[in-house]
Amino acid sequence: MTTNDNKFQEIISHAKEYGFVFPSSEIYDGLSAVYDYGPYGSELKKNIRDYWWKSMTQLHENIVGIDAAIFMHPTTWKASGHVDNFSDPMIDNRDSNKRYRVDHLIEGLADKLKDEGKTQEADELIAEMDRLLAADDYAGLKDLIAKNNIVCAISGTGNWTDIRQFNLMFSTQLGSVTEEADTIYLRPETAQGIFVNFLNVQKTSRMRIPFGIAQTGKAFRNEIVARQFIFRMREFEQMEMQFFVRPGTEGEWYRYWKEARLQWHLSLGISPEKYRYHDHVKLAHYAKEACDIEFEFPIGFKEVEGIHSRSDFDLTQHQQYSKKKMQYFDNDVDPATGKPFGNYIPYVVETSIGLDRMFLLILSESYETETLTKEDGSTDSRVVMHIPAKIAPVKLAILPLVKKDGLPEIARELMNECKPHFRCFYEEKDAIGKRYRRQDAIGTPFCVTVDHQTKEDQTVTIRHRDSMQQERVSLSAVREIVSKNII
Ligand code: GAP
């Protein structure tokens, strides 16, 4: 196991121990690739979602939000191409009966080669895999697996079946009588709820092109290889925005959103060197141009967000299948003809980020075990989550030094003043050092201690999580200090 694997395992344990993420239905031994968010996890997840939502809708006058249902008319998925194309090439090992996604199997070897310092060999392997995937050359991919002696992790053999496609959508029945019930799907992406509502939204919010529609919500995929904690789940949440543009302008908007989305990540103060773009060679069935924003997780550089230029594919398909016009009338004047642009089906640039993956990114970037040197030269350590203050689950911990002498009453007053404005936490049990450590472990950026001096001069100690610096400030200034650091 490499050091990074250890760090990843430490993060998973920490997330459970401190109420961020629990395995789903754990008392029944869990459900593979399904997770529940605990008290601090649900708070952090909500804060990430709100930060995205605000940046998309409140800060862009030409983007509005919707909240579409998870269930959609089954024809939606026929029109979108998901029934026919939303599948991954898979291969089974005949000895273990274990099924693998072909790209994951080959990437696994590439990661191993990189760990051994054989970077060029790894890059060549990935390039060859991308070429074969782009050509849908399954025989070639099987040869690549055989040539590189890739074996099943369970049986240890290379006794592989041919490569086949498996659809990733979950289906269920709508209606109570099985024989009459319709098969419907749990949406595999939130985007289609936006496409089918395109004209409802455009007309009711009187949007003019270019404009966007944003949505957050659950999506479901029957991932065959679902591992790596919340990185790849079967039930997960997406934050998607479809930006509708005039045909011919999609290239410039694609570049705009590619850059704007990276800047959103950096606005959280995350190190730029942890990010990179990956331009797609094999495009999804709807895409004209596409890239991933990748982040260096402890398990390597992986996709956290996709930017896709989807052309007019989805709206055209829905127009064809529903027989309802999906056109927009553009009365801006075309300088080339001197006449209005008129009716057309808009092109779409999509930004699509996984909320759970962004959550994992924040955990990975924030988690640190720090070694501290004390004044007498001895060492100690603390686990600290450097979660950006604006999305931290708790912003301020209010801690009376002792449980008596009127200190809890003053602390409670401060709590009542602050809690309508941001999430606070009150605690009077245990030594102050222990209480600080617990707040460090959940990423609380500020702790305030009310002590005996507070009674005399109305000041408190405010402690900063990252530097551990403490300063004496006026009790009446606390709310303002915290507020201005969490915007
Ligand atoms: N509407 C486009 C779309 O769904 P995608 O690249 O398949 O594109 C977008 O997914 C994002 O959703 C990914 O970048 C990832 O963050 C997240 N995502 C996809 N599958 C996921 C899964 N099984 N578990 C967690 N997040 C996932």
Side-chain angles (χ1 to χ4, degrees), residues 14 54 93 109 114-115 140 170 201 213 219 320 337 339 381-382 407:
H14 187 83
K54 181 177 172 188
N93 183 270
L109 174 63
K114 275 190 190 148
D115 282 349
F170 284 104
V201 175
I213 304 177
Q320 194 185 323
T337 63
K339 292 188 185 137
S381 72
R382 69 162 181 161
L407 303 189

Side-chain angles (χ1 to χ4, degrees), residues 221-468:
R221 296 183 188 178
N222 196 0
E223 300 283 2
I224 302 299
V225 183
R227 50 187 156 86
Q228 297 166 331
F229 191 39
I230 55 172
F231 182 80
R232 196 175 304 285
M233 301 159 88
R234 296 202 163 105
E235 173 181 341
F236 58 100
E237 196 164 334
Q238 289 186 315
M239 307 191 286
E240 300 202 296
M241 193 278 298
Q242 313 294 321
F243 201 69
F244 299 89
V245 305
R246 189 177 290 150
T249 63
E250 67 278 9
E252 72 199 61
W253 283 113
Y254 171 73
R255 286 187 292 282
Y256 170 85
W257 282 110
K258 193 172 163 178
E259 174 60 23
R261 289 305 303 150
L262 183 59
Q263 289 310 320
W264 178 85
H265 286 261
L266 300 183
S267 73
L268 282 166
I270 301 165
S271 353
E273 64 273 15
K274 289 275 183 79
Y275 282 99
R276 72 179 187 197
Y277 289 117
H278 169 74
D279 293 311
H280 287 201
V281 182
K282 178 166 170 59
L283 295 172
H285 60 271
Y286 50 74
K288 200 166 177 243
E289 224 178 333
C291 72
D292 299 333
I293 294 178
E294 292 188 340
F295 177 79
E296 191 175 14
F297 290 94
I299 47 175
F301 268 103
K302 304 267 178 205
E303 168 186 355
V304 63
E305 173 156 9
I307 321 293
H308 312 126
S309 181
R310 292 179 79 128
S311 71
D312 58 355
F313 173 83
D314 301 85
L315 291 179
T316 304
Q317 289 291 103
H318 288 306
Q319 174 166 293
Q320 194 185 323
Y321 277 77
S322 68
K323 313 263 185 297
K324 307 274 170 17
K325 284 250 175 293
M326 284 292 181
Q327 289 181 342
Y328 168 84
F329 183 77
D330 189 341
N331 54 16
D332 282 1
V333 174
D334 179 353
T337 63
K339 292 188 185 137
F341 283 99
N343 273 316
Y344 57 79
I345 296 182
Y347 271 45
V348 171
V349 174
E350 163 185 77
T351 72
S352 175
I353 175 169
L355 175 51
D356 312 86
R357 233 173 247 192
M358 188 62 204
F359 184 103
L360 181 59
L361 184 158
I362 295 294
L363 291 192
S364 310
E365 174 73 358
S366 305
Y367 180 88
E368 192 188 2
T369 307
E370 250 178 32
T371 304
L372 310 168
T373 308
K374 293 190 202 162
E375 271 170 22
D376 64 4
S378 63
T379 56
D380 191 6
S381 72
R382 69 162 181 161
V383 172
V384 53
M385 299 282 278
H386 302 283
I387 301 175
K390 47 191 154 194
I391 55 168
V394 176
K395 313 294 187 203
L396 173 67
I398 300 173
L399 316 169
L401 188 64
V402 289
K403 272 194 250 177
K404 53 184 186 182
D405 304 337
L407 303 189
E409 286 76 7
I410 302 173
R412 277 280 170 206
E413 245 176 69
L414 181 61
M415 183 78 185
N416 289 338
E417 183 198 337
C418 293
K419 74 180 179 190
H421 304 281
F422 43 78
R423 185 83 153 80
C424 303
F425 179 88
Y426 178 89
E427 193 177 41
E428 42 186 49
K429 196 170 163 284
D430 289 332
I432 196 72
K434 239 182 176 175
R435 283 184 269 167
Y436 284 154
R437 287 289 188 279
R438 280 203 289 267
Q439 294 307 312
D440 289 342
I442 60 162
T444 306
F446 300 101
C447 290
V448 154
T449 306
V450 175
D451 56 18
H452 292 95
Q453 194 183 327
T454 312
K455 284 175 45 178
E456 271 143 43
D457 62 6
Q458 301 295 301
T459 64
V460 287
T461 301
I462 190 160
R463 174 188 182 268
H464 300 262
R465 174 196 66 200
D466 297 341
S467 62
M468 292 193 292

Side-chain angles (χ1 to χ4, degrees), residues 53-114:
W53 187 258
K54 181 177 172 188
S55 86
M56 279 297 175
T57 61
Q58 193 174 324
L59 299 180
H60 286 96
E61 291 169 35
N62 60 349
I63 301 181
V64 287
I66 63 163
D67 182 8
I70 288 172
F71 292 141
M72 299 183 72
H73 192 284
T75 311
T76 310
W77 306 110
K78 190 76 196 146
S80 68
H82 283 82
V83 171
D84 296 325
N85 297 313
F86 194 57
S87 48
D88 281 327
M90 305 281 182
I91 194 164
D92 291 19
N93 183 270
R94 288 200 180 90
D95 298 322
S96 66
N97 290 326
K98 179 107 180 100
R99 181 165 294 160
Y100 294 88
R101 246 177 79 171
V102 168
D103 55 340
H104 289 171
L105 204 56
I106 299 172
E107 278 165 8
L109 174 63
D111 287 346
K112 194 162 155 261
L113 290 170
K114 275 190 190 148

